Amino acid sequence: MGLPVIATDIRGCRQVVEDGTNGILIPVRNAEALSEAIRRLGDDPEMMHRMGEASRIRAIEHFDERRVVEKVMGAYREVADRKGLAWKLEVRDETLSIRPAQPQDAHTIAELHRQSIDTGFLSSLGSRFLRLLYADMIGWPGSAVLVVSDGADGSLGFVAGVEQTGAFYRHFLRTRWFRAALNLLPQVIRPSFLRRAWETLRYGSADRAGVEAELLSMVVAPSLRGTGWGGRLGAAFLEDLSGRGVKSVQVVVGAANGGAIAAYETMGFGDAQTIEVHRGDPSVVMTWGA
């Protein structure tokens, strides 16, 4: 409902309320603290609005019924796979469609990324940073960000890429550096973080033999895996870029990620070379088109 929450500081409530972000936690059986928290919110409409927005985002990301179902079904699928049991989840295709991402999709895209991509530098930066990054990417004129929509304001997959990767990262740093740094505290001051950030930026600004665009990330929810929607999403992404005159696209995949490499090969990407974006972490650069 987009409302801030005042709750007692006990187990359960602490999972819902992040004190000072989307509400206020007060000591148990403390009427005075409750009264003060109500007054504090009531006297500060700006804080009420800010915390209310944060509450809605937290509810969508952690407690939306569709996300809970996805997690449960994904767990069943993993157990079935480990036990060697046949598992097939039928998806009614007529309820799904692929559409361009909207600014409000950034929250779901970030959460899908965080939950499904557990390798790479971006995945280590957390949901808040990823939300900021994808929101900026959706508004970037040279981006192609598409989602699999269930027709009810929900997203069950996404693909994201940009033309001129280095230009996008430089734009992001120029316009979002302060908020990005705040979202990354305290890790932003760690030498290992700074090194990996520099390696990412250096890679993004490198000249890669005339490749015009890059597919940065692609995820489908567990409920859609094995149903063909990943392939449709990738094909729509390449069609989108082709319609703009883009003739070549690359994607960088962890060398050990055989499943992703096979999926990109099915989309028409070829193995070009092995590189190290981050020291000691080999990746494969795959290209599509000319």
Side-chain angles (χ1 to χ4, degrees), residues 127-287:
S127 295
R128 290 189 297 177
F129 178 87
L130 289 172
R131 284 199 300 268
L132 191 64
L133 179 70
Y134 281 118
D136 207 45
M137 194 181 302
I138 290 169
W140 172 251
S143 72
V145 186
L146 307 174
V147 297
V148 178
S149 173
D150 61 6
D153 297 325
S155 301
L156 298 175
F158 77 92
V159 60
V162 296
E163 301 175 53
Q164 302 177 2
T165 308
F168 167 72
Y169 281 140
R170 289 191 294 272
H171 159 79
F172 179 75
L173 284 178
R174 277 198 314 270
T175 59
R176 307 288 186 179
W177 70 270
F178 184 72
R179 289 186 61 190
L182 286 179
N183 286 331
L184 290 172
L185 287 173
Q187 61 179 315
V188 72
I189 61 176
R190 295 172 183 163
S192 60
F193 172 88
L194 294 173
R195 175 178 60 81
R196 288 172 67 84
W198 166 247
E199 289 169 345
T200 299
L201 290 172
R202 182 182 59 186
Y203 158 77
S205 62
D207 179 12
R208 280 171 290 282
V211 175
E212 299 170 278
E214 181 167 0
L215 193 163
L216 296 174
S217 52
M218 185 169 72
V219 170
V220 292
S223 58
L224 290 189
R225 291 171 191 166
T227 65
W229 275 97
R232 297 183 203 182
L233 194 57
F237 172 82
L238 294 174
E239 183 178 351
D240 184 310
L241 288 176
S242 297
R244 308 182 198 184
V246 173
K247 296 182 174 60
S248 57
V249 182
Q250 74 173 22
V251 63
V252 179
V253 192
N257 194 344
I261 291 173
Y264 288 125
E265 286 177 342
T266 301
M267 290 169 55
F269 284 84
D271 188 351
Q273 59 178 318
T274 300
I275 64 170
E276 284 192 1
V277 177
H278 302 293
R279 190 170 55 207
D281 188 10
S283 299
V284 175
V285 180
M286 307 179 73
T287 56

Side-chain angles (χ1 to χ4, degrees), residues 64-78:
D64 186 283
E65 184 180 67
R66 288 167 297 194
R67 305 293 170 256
V68 175
V69 170
E70 287 172 16
K71 290 180 181 179
V72 172
M73 299 306 284
Y76 278 125
R77 184 192 296 274
E78 290 176 9

Side-chain angles (χ1 to χ4, degrees), residues 90-133:
E90 296 297 333
V91 178
R92 296 180 61 84
D93 284 1
E94 64 268 22
T95 66
L96 303 179
S97 63
I98 296 175
R99 61 168 173 79
Q102 302 298 316
Q104 60 268 26
D105 293 313
H107 307 300
T108 304
I109 290 173
E111 192 63 17
L112 282 169
H113 183 131
R114 187 188 66 80
Q115 292 177 356
S116 301
I117 304 177
D118 56 4
T119 60
F121 179 57
L122 289 180
S123 300
S124 69
L125 302 182
S127 295
R128 290 189 297 177
F129 178 87
L130 289 172
R131 284 199 300 268
L132 191 64
L133 179 70

